[in-house]
């Protein structure tokens, strides 16, 4: 990949990532009177008696496992292209950072 190709990749990848985060939050983040961007994680956390961060890591692990399967075990990505797995994994990492920094001084 050339430098120009890498720059183009980054721009397109980040645009897709941003779209995924915004659309995902619109789809899953609702919860009636709760305006939390993490509402779906909080609902699952309450039901499973774990933290919202734990729920996030479980959701992210599905994509991590698929990426590792693709890279190390030669498992073909049938339901979702590998690019989508990377997008989703990084999205969960960004959500994780937002959860940790939520209300903190580092936000």
């Amino acid at each position: 990949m050339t430098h120009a190709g890498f720059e183009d990749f980054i721009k397109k990848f980040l645009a897709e990532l941003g779209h995924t985060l915004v659309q995902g939050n619109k789809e899953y983040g609702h919860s009636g009177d709760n305006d939390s961007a993490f509402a779906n994680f909080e609902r699952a956390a309450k039901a499973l008696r774990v933290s919202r961060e734990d729920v996030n890591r479980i959701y992210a692990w599905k994509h991590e496992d698929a990426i590792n399967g693709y890279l190390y075990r030669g498992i073909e990505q049938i339901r979702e292209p590998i690019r989508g797995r990377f997008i989703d994994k990084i999205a969960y990492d960004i959500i994780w950072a937002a959860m940790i920094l939520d209300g903190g001084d580092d936000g």
Side-chain angles (χ1 to χ4, degrees), residues 7 12 16 22 27 30 34 36 41-42 44 48 57 63 69 71 74 77 82 86-87 90 92-93 104:
E7 186 175 330
K12 288 178 182 174
E16 187 176 345
V22 170
E27 186 175 344
H30 60 85
N34 182 353
S36 173
F41 298 97
E42 291 161 354
L48 299 172
R57 299 326 300 153
H63 302 288
L71 292 174
Q77 299 298 302
I82 193 66
F86 278 106
I87 291 286
I90 294 167
Y92 282 115
D93 287 343

Side-chain angles (χ1 to χ4, degrees), residues 20-75:
T20 297
L21 283 162
V22 170
Q23 289 305 116
N25 191 256
K26 285 180 183 176
E27 186 175 344
Y28 300 114
H30 60 85
S31 124
D33 2 336
N34 182 353
D35 190 34
S36 173
F38 313 120
N40 62 319
F41 298 97
E42 291 161 354
R43 286 190 303 272
K46 184 177 180 181
L48 299 172
R49 298 186 190 135
V50 297
S51 72
R52 65 185 188 181
E53 291 82 5
D54 287 340
V55 171
N56 175 280
R57 299 326 300 153
I58 292 165
Y59 289 175
W61 177 250
K62 173 182 134 180
H63 302 288
E64 183 79 27
D65 194 43
I67 292 166
N68 286 332
Y70 178 84
L71 292 174
Y72 303 117
R73 296 186 301 275
I75 298 172

Side-chain angles (χ1 to χ4, degrees), residues 1-17:
M1 182 179 291
T2 65
H3 290 288
F6 183 69
E7 186 175 330
D8 187 50
F9 169 80
I10 292 297
K11 287 177 183 175
K12 288 178 182 174
F13 193 88
L14 291 178
E16 187 176 345
L17 176 60

